[in-house]
Amino acid sequence: MCGIVGFVGKREASPILVEGLSKLEYRGYDSAGVAIIEEGDIKISKCKGRLAMLEEKLKEAPLSGAIGIGHTRWATHGEPSDLNSHPHANECGSITVVHNGIIENYLHLREWLSSKGYKFFSETDTEVIPNLVDYYYKGDLVEAVMKAVTKMEGSYAIGVITKNEPDKVVAVRKDSPLIVGLGEGEYFIASDIPAVLNHTRDIYLLNDKEFVVLTKDGVQILSEEGEEIKKEIYHVTWNADAAEKGGYEDFMLKEIHEQPKAIKDTMSSRIIPGQPISLDKINITKEELNGIDRIYIVACGTAYHAGIVGKYVIEKLAKIPVEVDIASEFRYREPIINERTLIIVISQSGETADTLAVLRESKKKDCRVIAVTNVVGSSISREADDVLYTWAGPEIAVASTKAYVTQLIAMYIIGLHFAEIKETMSKADMELIKEEMLKLPEKAEETLSHKETLQKFASKTYMHKDMFFLGRGIDYAVAMEGSLKLKEISYVHSEAYAGGELKHGPIALIEKGTIVITTLTQGFLFDKMVSNIKEVVTRGAKVMAIAFEGNNVIEKIVDSAIYIPKTLDILSPILSVIPQQLLAYYMAKQKGCDVDKPRNLAKSVTVE
C-alpha cells in the first residue's frame, strides 16, 4: 500500500525522488523519506506526516547525489512515526532499503538476526531486510539481495542501496507492484507508472521474483537463478496530465466528471449495434460455457460492490448461477470450486493482495479465471487466463469512482456475451440493451448536472453522525457503494440496507432527523420502495430519493429528489451511483476532509 521510487542518473536525485513520491500520494501514506548516496555515504531524511513536511526538511538540510531511493509509508507494523518511517538501514548505515508489502515471518527473522548480534531500533517488519542483506553481503549486493529474499515470506517490492557499491540500485518484487522506467542516461524504479511519466514513457513491467540492477549505464533484469532476462519495452500512451487535476479542485471531483468518457471508452469496440459482443481476446465456446455450473465473482471493497451488480446482471441475462464473495473471506473458507467453476476477479489496480491470492488458488484447482482490471501489465492481468480491461484511465483519488462504473460496464459486457453464447436472450432484447448502453455516456453527463441540489443537501446534513442508504434489487447493490463512499471520505457512519429488511431490525434506529438516502429505479419494486420511504418518514427521517425522470410522485413524500435520465431498469446503477458519489464528495468538503487522501486508506491494497 506504500509507494517506492528509485533513481540512478546524472541529475540530482532528491527532487526527482520527491516528485515521484508526490505522484504516488494517492496510494495512501502517513510518512515519507528518501535516502541518497552522497560522497560515498548514505544520507537519510524522513519524517512522519505529509510529503510537504519532508520537502521542508530537505530545504533546511539538502541531500546531494545522483543515486537514491524514496518511500511513502502506510503504517502496518508500528505506529506512524519518524523512527518507523522508511528508508530503513542496518546498524552501521551501510545498507538502506525501502519496502512495500509485509514480511510475514519478520519476527522469526528478527529473533534469528538478533542472535547473530544485529540490533533493531524500529517496530517495523521492514527493518529485518537491510540486516538480512547485510548478513549475506560479501561484496556483491545483487547476490546478497538474492539470498536475503529466499528467507523472506510475504509480499514485497524493495529497493536497496549500499555505500560499498555506490553506483547502483538493486530491486526485486513479489506480490507487490514494481516497474522500471527507461530514460536517457537515467533509470527509475517505482510502484506505479505516474511516478516516472514526467521523465519517460518507456517502462519494463516486472514479474514476481525478477531482480533489477540500475546503474547509470543501463538496466539489467535477472531471474532468481541469476540468469539475464530480456524484456519488451511497454510504451505508455496516456498523457501525464491524465494524472493531474486539470483545473478541478480535487482528483475525486475530476474523476467523477470523467465518468462519461470512461464509460464510452470501456464500451468502445466491444459493443457495436448489430454485431456480436467483443471480449477482446477472451474466447469461450458454447460448449465450455455450458460446462460451467457456477460463477464466483471475487473482489474487495468497491470492486466487490461492482461484483454484486454483476451477479444480478449475469444471472438475469445469461441464466448462470453466480455467487459474489469478498476475496479475504473466500480464500479461507475452503470454497467448493473445480474445473466446472468460472472465477471472475475484479481489481482496479490489478495488485490487490487478497484478490491475487484467490486467483492463484483458483488456478491450482483448475478453475478458469477472468480478470477485470484497469491496469495493463498488473499482476492480476498477467496471471489470469483472460483479462477484460476497464479503460478508466489513471484513477488517483483513493475512493474509486470512474473505476467502479467501468467495472459495472465490464459486468454488463460479460453478461451480454454469455447470454449471446448461451442464446438465453432474443436478438431484439440484446440489441435494445446495447442501444441503451451506448446512450449511457450522454446520460451520465446529464446526471452530473445535479451538483447544486446535492451541495445544498450536503450543507444541511453534513453534521449528522449517522446515515442510512436503502434500495431494493439492484438498487440495494448501489446503496452499498453509496454508503461506502460516504464512509470513506467524509467519515460519517453509514449503513446500507435492503428496503424489505427495514422491519427486521434497522427501523429501530430511525428517529426524528435521521438522514436516509433511497434509490427507486426498479419499476416492479417502485411501489414497495415508496412504502419503505413512508415507513421512515413516519418516524421522522429526512429523505433524499434518487429516481428516474417522470416519477414525480416521490416529491410529495421526500425532502429532496434527484431525477436521473430514464434508461432500462437493469442499467440504472451506472447513473444512480453518480449522485451518491457527489453527495459523499460534498459532505466531505463541508467537513473539511481531504477527499483525495482519506485517513487510514490506501489506493492499492497490496497487503492482507
Side-chain angles (χ1 to χ4, degrees):
M1 295 166 78
C2 317
I4 71 172
V5 293
F7 173 76
V8 174
K10 298 177 182 178
R11 294 188 286 166
E12 286 292 331
S14 182
I16 293 171
L17 295 175
V18 171
E19 177 202 41
L21 292 177
S22 73
K23 305 299 183 185
L24 299 176
E25 285 187 294
Y26 68 90
R27 297 174 69 85
Y29 71 105
D30 47 51
S31 58
V34 296
I36 307 288
I37 296 180
E38 182 179 278
E39 297 180 352
D41 205 358
I42 298 176
K43 303 292 185 181
I44 296 175
S45 182
K46 60 182 183 176
C47 60
K48 174 186 173 182
R50 291 300 185 191
L51 195 58
M53 297 178 69
L54 176 64
E55 292 182 89
E56 286 300 315
K57 193 171 182 179
L58 287 168
K59 284 180 183 178
E60 296 171 6
L63 301 182
S64 180
I67 293 180
I69 51 179
H71 188 272
T72 52
R73 176 180 187 249
W74 190 90
T76 54
H77 296 66
E79 65 179 8
S81 68
D82 291 356
L83 184 63
N84 288 330
S85 303
H86 295 216
H88 285 287
N90 58 341
E91 185 179 359
C92 68
S94 64
I95 296 171
T96 302
V97 169
V98 290
H99 164 227
N100 173 17
I102 288 179
I103 306 303
E104 294 176 354
N105 63 333
Y106 86 100
L107 284 174
H108 169 74
L109 291 173
R110 189 167 175 143
E111 290 175 5
W112 179 70
L113 288 165
S114 295
S115 73
K116 302 293 183 183
Y118 287 89
K119 294 182 179 179
F120 294 85
F121 305 94
S122 77
E123 303 170 90
T124 68
D125 57 326
T126 299
E127 198 180 359
V128 302
I129 302 175
N131 288 292
L132 195 60
V133 173
D134 178 80
Y135 178 81
Y136 288 110
Y137 187 74
K138 302 293 186 288
D140 187 331
L141 182 60
V142 177
E143 182 181 351
V145 173
M146 284 183 166
K147 288 181 177 179
V149 299
T150 65
K151 302 297 183 183
M152 291 159 43
E153 297 173 7
S155 61
Y156 50 80
I158 60 175
V160 189
I161 56 175
T162 175
K163 69 178 184 180
N164 300 319
E165 299 175 57
D167 62 335
K168 68 182 62 169
V169 173
V170 176
V172 60
R173 65 154 284 179
K174 175 182 173 289
D175 299 337
S176 291
L178 194 66
I179 59 102
V180 177
L182 310 171
E184 295 183 7
E186 56 187 26
Y187 305 94
F188 312 79
I189 57 169
S191 294
D192 203 356
I193 293 170
V196 303
L197 263 190
N198 283 346
H199 308 285
T200 180
R201 290 177 173 275
D202 293 331
I203 65 171
Y204 288 140
L205 301 169
L206 298 182
N207 294 316
D208 278 355
K209 294 294 186 72
E210 289 184 342
F211 296 79
V212 182
V213 185
L214 305 184
T215 68
K216 61 181 176 60
D217 297 320
V219 173
Q220 186 181 37
I221 301 176
L222 303 171
S223 69
E224 55 187 321
E225 290 80 24
E227 298 176 351
E228 189 162 1
I229 298 170
K230 297 298 183 182
K231 277 191 174 287
E232 290 186 11
I233 294 173
Y234 172 68
H235 186 74
V236 181
T237 55
W238 43 272
N239 294 324
D241 60 8
E244 301 295 339
K245 291 180 183 176
Y248 287 91
E249 189 174 351
D250 306 281
F251 280 115
M252 184 178 180
L253 187 62
K254 173 177 179 275
E255 288 157 8
I256 289 172
H257 281 80
E258 288 174 339
Q259 288 180 126
K261 182 180 185 298
I263 293 166
K264 183 178 180 180
D265 290 346
T266 302
M267 291 190 296
S268 179
S269 79
R270 293 164 172 169
I271 298 179
I272 300 173
Q275 295 187 22
I277 296 291
S278 171
L279 255 66
D280 302 339
K281 296 179 181 180
I282 302 175
N283 295 310
I284 298 181
T285 66
K286 185 172 184 177
E287 183 181 9
E288 288 171 335
L289 199 55
N290 285 336
I292 298 296
D293 59 18
R294 180 168 299 179
I295 295 173
Y296 280 98
I297 302 176
V298 187
C300 303
T302 285
Y304 168 72
H305 295 155
I308 296 174
V309 173
K311 170 183 170 67
Y312 282 91
V313 170
I314 294 172
E315 288 189 341
K316 183 175 180 64
L317 302 185
K319 311 303 181 188
I320 305 173
V322 180
E323 292 190 31
V324 189
D325 224 321
I326 297 169
S328 57
E329 293 296 316
F330 187 84
R331 291 180 60 187
Y332 299 112
R333 68 174 180 82
E334 299 183 9
I336 302 170
I337 57 176
N338 51 42
E339 69 279 358
R340 292 177 61 82
T341 309
L342 175 65
I343 306 289
I344 301 175
V345 295
I346 309 175
S347 167
Q348 183 277 141
S349 67
E351 303 291 348
T352 310
D354 287 311
T355 308
L356 185 57
V358 168
L359 184 158
R360 290 169 176 166
E361 287 299 315
S362 299
K363 291 193 71 175
K364 287 179 184 177
K365 296 184 179 180
D366 297 323
C367 300
R368 184 167 182 168
V369 181
I370 296 176
V372 175
T373 183
N374 192 43
V375 180
V376 175
S378 59
S379 297
I380 284 173
S381 71
R382 284 178 282 160
E383 295 188 32
D385 297 298
D386 307 284
V387 59
L388 183 65
Y389 287 110
T390 57
W391 300 117
E395 188 177 65
I396 306 302
V398 169
S400 180
T401 52
K402 63 176 180 173
Y404 171 75
V405 296
T406 57
Q407 288 165 356
L408 295 185
I409 293 294
M411 292 294 99
Y412 290 108
I413 291 172
I414 290 171
L416 285 169
H417 183 61
F418 288 177
E420 201 170 53
I421 294 172
K422 289 176 66 68
E423 299 178 329
T424 52
M425 294 177 63
S426 69
K427 288 186 178 180
D429 287 343
M430 179 85 67
E431 288 303 313
L432 177 61
I433 293 178
K434 288 161 65 176
E435 180 184 328
E436 287 299 317
M437 284 184 70
L438 292 171
K439 296 176 183 177
L440 288 173
E442 182 181 345
K443 292 180 178 181
E445 192 74 55
E446 188 179 338
T447 304
L448 289 166
S449 66
H450 294 291
K451 291 180 289 185
E452 188 175 337
T453 303
L454 291 160
Q455 278 180 295
K456 287 180 179 178
F457 189 83
S459 68
K460 296 175 182 177
T461 57
Y462 73 96
M463 292 301 292
H464 284 259
K465 294 182 179 180
D466 301 279
M467 291 178 62
F468 296 92
F469 287 71
L470 298 179
R472 282 178 176 259
I474 209 167
D475 285 340
Y476 171 48
V478 182
M480 295 170 72
E481 174 59 15
S483 175
L484 177 63
K485 281 293 148 290
L486 190 69
K487 279 188 277 233
E488 284 180 316
I489 63 170
S490 73
Y491 318 138
V492 172
H493 171 255
S494 65
E495 298 294 339
Y497 289 102
E501 280 293 291
L502 265 178
K503 63 185 72 69
H504 296 289
I507 201 165
L509 299 171
I510 304 297
E511 57 188 6
K512 187 174 182 179
T514 301
I515 305 301
V516 177
I517 311 300
T518 66
T519 306
L520 308 87
T521 67
Q522 305 302 292
F524 71 107
L525 291 168
F526 186 84
D527 290 339
K528 293 185 183 297
M529 197 64 225
V530 168
S531 295
N532 295 143
I533 292 173
K534 289 180 178 178
E535 289 173 345
V536 297
V537 169
T538 299
R539 289 158 178 82
K542 291 187 178 299
V543 179
M544 184 182 85
I546 300 165
F548 284 136
E549 292 171 342
N551 288 325
N552 297 352
V553 65
I554 64 171
E555 290 179 7
K556 299 174 183 178
I557 57 173
V558 301
D559 296 272
S560 181
I562 301 292
Y563 295 109
I564 60 177
K566 187 74 176 78
T567 187
L568 298 177
D569 289 7
I570 196 172
L571 300 178
S572 65
I574 302 291
L575 304 178
S576 65
V577 75
I578 294 174
Q580 297 180 58
Q581 294 169 342
L582 286 167
L583 177 65
Y585 174 82
Y586 289 122
M587 292 279 282
K589 293 298 287 185
Q590 287 283 350
K591 295 184 68 177
C593 301
D594 187 339
V595 295
D596 288 337
K597 298 185 284 291
R599 68 190 183 201
N600 303 331
L601 298 180
K603 184 68 174 171
S604 180
V605 184
T606 55
V607 297
E608 286 192 52

